[in-house]
Amino acid sequence: SNVAMSAQGVVERASAELSKRINGLGLRVSKHHSRTNSGVQNASKTSVMERVTNVFCGGSNVPPDKPSRFRSKSATGVGNNFVSTPQPSKRIQNIPNHALTWEELMVNDRFLGKFFTYFSSGERRTLAQVCVRWRDLLYRSPRFWSGLVPVIKCRELRSSSPTDRARLFASLLRRGFHAVCLVGAADEDALDLVHSFPSATKHVHSLSLRCCSISDRGLEALLDHLQALFELELAGCNELTEAGLWACLTPRIVSLTLTDCINVADEAVGAVAQLLPSLYEFSLQAYHVTDAALGFFSPKQSASLSILRLQSCWEVTNHGIVNIVHSLPNLTVLSLSGCSKITDDGVELIAENLQKLRSLDLSWCPRITDAALEYIACDLNMLEELTLDRCVHITDIGVGYISTMLSLSALFLRWCSQVRDFGIQHLCGMRNLQVLSLAGCPLLTSSGLSSLIQLRHMQELELTNCPGASRELFDYLREHLPRCTVIE
């Protein structure tokens, strides 16, 4: 996989980070002993390294400082790693009481185990290439790799030796990966994985095939081998046929994504509906799927299917919505993004019948008007996230309807070209709103946008490509919403 930064850069960053911690500790020590003689102050400099060793390694008779919190972004973008000072009661045996040198710290397993938590999962890919010791220590703990999915480029893998391929698959096991993504795979690559990665039978739970020329035969071989598989993604696999899906899909699958597979149409949806009784999440992007395909779902799916995403299904109309609401009344997430034939009447059906919805995406549905937003505001009382990007007929009246939804915490109005400052005034009353996007809304002014400081609980505000947003506005918003990430 591609490396985001060089090994040298990571080590330099690590050194700088540690130096800041050391300097901070030294500063606190020097202030604490400011009234003592110079001999004591010189002794305090020695204690700084001891304190650092104590923080990361445990031990030492120096009383611990208060716990420190350092945020580290994961691959999902959430910062929640905490590093705290061990208490004296949990003193670790066999740790030297003297300060360790930098060279000693860099090979001290206990120090490195804490040290690596300062970096994201993606950055640890580079750290693992610094030396064998660091690699072995990182590979030993699956928690260092949470949030990452290994991507195997099959064209490059074919040129490697069988021994190298076996080592690659073994490293995936050591790091605790349960998901694999194959890019550009052919049937020979599928068969090679079956033979070279026997442990995948029990350890691989999620498989993604992207831009692959794999045939029905290759997919069948893979799914027969991966007996613990319950999540499958097929994207851009144009050699697969609907007959192949009928032959391959197993009842174990609870999450299925079909995207840009040219042969996927109504019969493929029929296979999904018939063969996957425990399906929980289904994402489909297919231009040729019609309302008839949605008629294949029956009430037997209603107990399990909770998430349905239909993206750019251009042929789906309000008749298809009728099939959805009758067969799948327990949906909590529904996306109709790019289903351009859906109208306000279809949204009315959704609002009346799918009242457990927590997330609704109607982006790129150009026939949606303010009337649809009135239906949503009246009936979808549990809705937490609403996406209306590129719904160009929405006006301030529709935004006014939305502003009455007390449960809504995320609202996306990107490129809604008729929304004005008056609509923003409505939004300022939504005290639970935490995420708001007004990107590309051309009629909003700096004066109107400045009123958003009333949303004290806002965590993320997107204002990219807003002609009315100025540098002064961004500074003003950041000053009055210090906890909010303002995206320019």
Side-chain angles (χ1 to χ4, degrees), residues 354-366:
L354 302 181
Q355 297 190 4
K356 294 182 180 180
L357 278 182
R358 295 184 179 276
S359 176
L360 177 62
D361 185 349
L362 298 172
S363 58
W364 295 86
C365 293

Side-chain angles (χ1 to χ4, degrees), residues 451-468:
S451 63
L452 292 173
I453 64 169
Q454 299 174 56
L455 298 172
R456 296 298 181 184
H457 297 289
M458 185 76 70
Q459 296 179 4
E460 181 177 306
L461 175 61
E462 183 183 23
L463 298 177
T464 56
N465 296 302
C466 285

Side-chain angles (χ1 to χ4, degrees), residues 459-478:
Q459 296 179 4
E460 181 177 306
L461 175 61
E462 183 183 23
L463 298 177
T464 56
N465 296 302
C466 285
S470 63
R471 169 53 51 197
E472 292 75 18
L473 173 69
F474 288 125
D475 293 340
Y476 179 77
L477 292 172
R478 291 192 175 100

Side-chain angles (χ1 to χ4, degrees), residues 70 77 213 416 474:
F70 305 109
S213 58
C416 291
F474 288 125

Side-chain angles (χ1 to χ4, degrees), residues 6-55:
S6 68
Q8 181 181 357
V10 171
V11 174
E12 289 176 354
R13 172 184 159 177
S15 177
E17 186 73 20
L18 185 59
S19 296
K20 286 200 296 185
R21 307 302 171 211
I22 294 172
N23 292 336
L25 287 170
L27 185 60
R28 288 198 292 273
V29 170
S30 63
K31 286 182 178 179
H32 181 71
H33 296 287
S34 59
R35 299 178 182 176
T36 64
N37 58 36
S38 59
V40 176
Q41 289 180 350
N42 289 335
S44 72
K45 294 181 180 179
T46 305
S47 71
V48 170
M49 205 60 183
E50 293 177 355
R51 283 169 174 257
V52 174
T53 305
N54 185 44
V55 167

Side-chain angles (χ1 to χ4, degrees), residues 295-314:
F296 288 120
F297 288 106
S298 64
K300 71 179 182 180
Q301 264 96 27
S302 66
S304 61
L305 192 57
S306 179
I307 301 173
L308 178 64
R309 297 187 181 93
L310 303 176
Q311 298 177 329
S312 299
C313 296
W314 295 338

Side-chain angles (χ1 to χ4, degrees), residues 3-20 22 102-103 105-107 111-112 115-116 118-119 122-135 138:
V3 177
M5 56 194 300
S6 68
Q8 181 181 357
V10 171
V11 174
E12 289 176 354
R13 172 184 159 177
S15 177
E17 186 73 20
L18 185 59
S19 296
K20 286 200 296 185
I22 294 172
W102 175 254
E103 290 74 16
L105 287 174
M106 288 296 98
V107 294
F111 169 81
L112 291 172
F115 182 62
F116 291 149
Y118 282 76
F119 300 89
E123 289 169 334
R124 292 182 194 119
R125 296 177 302 170
T126 307
L127 293 174
Q129 300 177 44
V130 170
C131 64
V132 173
R133 190 185 192 94
W134 284 26
R135 182 197 66 192
L138 285 165

Side-chain angles (χ1 to χ4, degrees), residues 64 145 172 301 365 394:
W145 306 99
L172 301 184
Q301 264 96 27
C365 293
I394 289 175

